[in-house]
Amino acid sequence: MNFSNETLKELYRLMVSVRHVDQAAVSWQRQGLLPAYAPELGQEAAQVGSGYVVDTSRDFVFPTYREMGVARAMGVDMVEYMSTHKATWHGGMYNPVETRLAPIQAVVGGSVLHAVGWAHGARLNGPDDDGTYPVAMTYFGDGASSQGDVHEAMNFAAVMAAPVVFFVQNNGWAISVPTERQVAGGSVAARAAGYGMESVQVDGDDVVAVAEATSRAFEHARAGKGPMVVEAMTYRRGPHSTSDDPGRYRTLDQERDDAGEDPVTRLRKRLEADGVADEPFFTRAVEDAKAEAEQIRAGIEALGSRPGSEMFEYVFQESTPALHEQARQWREESEHV
Ligand SMILES: Cc1ncc(C[n+]2csc(CCOP(=O)(O)OP(=O)(O)O)c2C)c(N)n1
Ligand SMILES: [Mg+2]
């Protein structure tokens, strides 16, 4: 991957945008505009660095509930993304096929199975005209790695040589449970060896290191060499969600000690030291991010609710008699028809 000065500046702009929209979303929840939100403060480098290398003309990404930064780096419309947090639409209103981003997934480990299924399909379809495979990338957390589903998915993917990148953000916590209390051996990457898979552990707060590691994993999977694990070591600086109070399981001193250096500050220092960007650039990035957050806010406010009947319409491609019957009963009770 080529990290020209323009690319580095683009990564910085993206990270600042994600930082501002993320913090704004927490405020919107406090103001009653959104019922709930899962902040990603501190994980901007892991998300932007990995989302940035996706080829949205052919790959497919399977997120959890905390991947706003990935969606933003992939160019997904942020109002459509936030619609799930407004409870307007389950999983986000963006078009998964066009954006290449699957619906937001709140089932821990669920995205991993879906990605492996998609990648297995890609393998069965055979390579594209250039002789390489499209790749599925699944996001999941250190906590999710304790789920049986993830082990089954890794084993199946390795046996079938499915072109999938297992991107784990090890942010130190699964709600209130620290990584060391649930990941045996302390590393998710180490497990890959048991499945005969390659893996890499990367400093998840260094956006360039993340982008490089992810793009290597994509090359590996594209070449038909099977799946790969990328473990980005990062830290969840905020609460698990807007319903969580981290003060019940960690102290502010612990937070400060364990969080490490802010990934946004870190990239800024690098750009300054290398003479890549100057003060007007940094000021502009913040101004643009604030303006973007305001636009998103206006878009979220304008979102109307969807017709209730839609909950029956997108379950299966072809509906079932049982679903028809439920829809009929629902219409009778709620619309009196
Ligand atoms: C199958 C399932 N089990 C439990 C939950 C409740 N739950 C939501 S998030 C979470 C912790 C996940 O931690 P991790 O995988 O580290 O991701 P993070 O939240 O840190 O990004 C749990 C247990 C769930 N949503 N789905
Ligand atoms: Mg976690």
Side-chain angles (χ1 to χ4, degrees):
M1 201 178 169
N2 170 28
F3 291 98
S4 65
N5 287 351
E6 269 322 300
T7 304
L8 292 171
K9 282 158 83 173
E10 175 62 6
L11 289 170
Y12 185 80
R13 275 193 294 264
L14 279 168
M15 282 172 68
V16 170
S17 154
V18 170
R19 169 66 55 90
H20 276 263
V21 173
D22 188 63
Q23 291 190 318
V26 174
S27 305
W28 299 334
Q29 193 278 334
R30 300 300 186 227
Q31 294 160 12
L33 183 60
L34 301 178
Y37 180 70
E40 56 139 296
L41 185 69
Q43 299 181 216
E44 294 87 354
Q47 299 204 0
V48 168
S50 54
Y52 188 75
V53 305
V54 175
D55 179 349
T56 52
S57 71
R58 60 194 301 218
D59 301 327
F60 216 104
V61 171
F62 294 81
T64 73
Y65 41 83
R66 202 188 296 292
E67 264 76 66
M68 185 272 284
V70 175
R72 176 67 181 81
M74 288 174 66
V76 173
D77 181 275
M78 283 291 108
V79 176
E80 293 181 351
Y81 180 89
M82 289 290 177
S83 66
T84 202
H85 295 296
K86 196 179 175 185
T88 302
W89 187 254
H90 196 63
M93 285 167 73
Y94 53 88
N95 181 330
V97 176
E98 281 167 15
T99 58
R100 315 303 283 173
L101 183 69
I104 294 167
Q105 173 63 260
V107 176
V108 168
S111 54
V112 182
L113 297 164
H114 296 164
V116 170
W118 190 94
H120 181 50
R123 179 88 200 182
L124 294 177
N125 279 342
D128 287 346
D129 289 345
D130 70 350
T132 69
Y133 290 92
V135 175
M137 174 157 58
T138 173
Y139 286 86
F140 60 108
D142 43 292
S145 77
S146 308
Q147 292 263 126
D149 290 349
V150 175
H151 299 278
E152 290 169 28
M154 285 185 172
N155 188 61
F156 185 88
V159 168
M160 298 297 178
V164 55
V165 174
F166 293 99
F167 192 94
V168 53
Q169 285 172 91
N170 187 336
N171 64 4
W173 294 91
I175 313 185
S176 56
V177 182
T179 305
E180 62 271 18
R181 278 192 41 216
Q182 71 168 318
V183 178
S187 152
V188 181
R191 293 184 185 163
Y195 304 112
M197 249 192 281
E198 280 189 38
S199 69
V200 60
Q201 201 177 45
V202 64
D203 180 344
D205 296 334
D206 177 342
V207 70
V208 173
V210 172
E212 270 172 350
T214 313
S215 106
R216 274 205 308 279
F218 267 80
E219 274 168 33
H220 176 93
R222 262 196 220 304
K225 295 178 185 165
M228 197 168 152
V229 175
V230 179
E231 182 176 22
M233 303 305 290
T234 181
Y235 191 79
R236 195 198 78 213
R237 289 172 169 247
H240 171 75
S241 74
T242 45
S243 314
D244 178 39
D245 170 14
R248 296 179 64 171
Y249 53 83
R250 69 187 192 195
T251 65
L252 282 176
D253 279 344
Q254 271 175 328
E255 262 178 38
R256 262 191 300 269
D257 290 348
D258 295 346
E261 191 176 9
D262 183 307
V264 181
T265 314
R266 203 160 141 181
L267 181 59
R268 179 184 170 131
K269 280 188 186 163
R270 176 178 173 161
L271 297 184
E272 279 172 341
D274 295 348
V276 172
D278 52 10
E279 192 55 45
F281 168 80
F282 296 119
T283 310
R284 179 75 196 267
V286 172
E287 280 168 5
D288 288 351
K290 282 186 178 158
E292 184 188 351
E294 274 313 303
Q295 266 182 348
I296 298 168
R297 187 202 160 95
I300 296 171
E301 270 177 327
L303 273 179
S305 51
R306 306 289 304 181
S309 58
E310 283 187 348
M311 70 181 141
F312 301 101
E313 284 167 19
Y314 302 107
V315 182
F316 300 111
Q317 190 162 357
E318 287 167 27
S319 192
T320 63
L323 205 59
H324 267 301
E325 177 53 20
Q326 286 175 31
R328 191 195 60 74
Q329 282 180 15
W330 177 84
R331 275 198 306 275
E332 205 174 270
E333 286 166 17
S334 57
E335 296 180 346
H336 310 289
V337 289

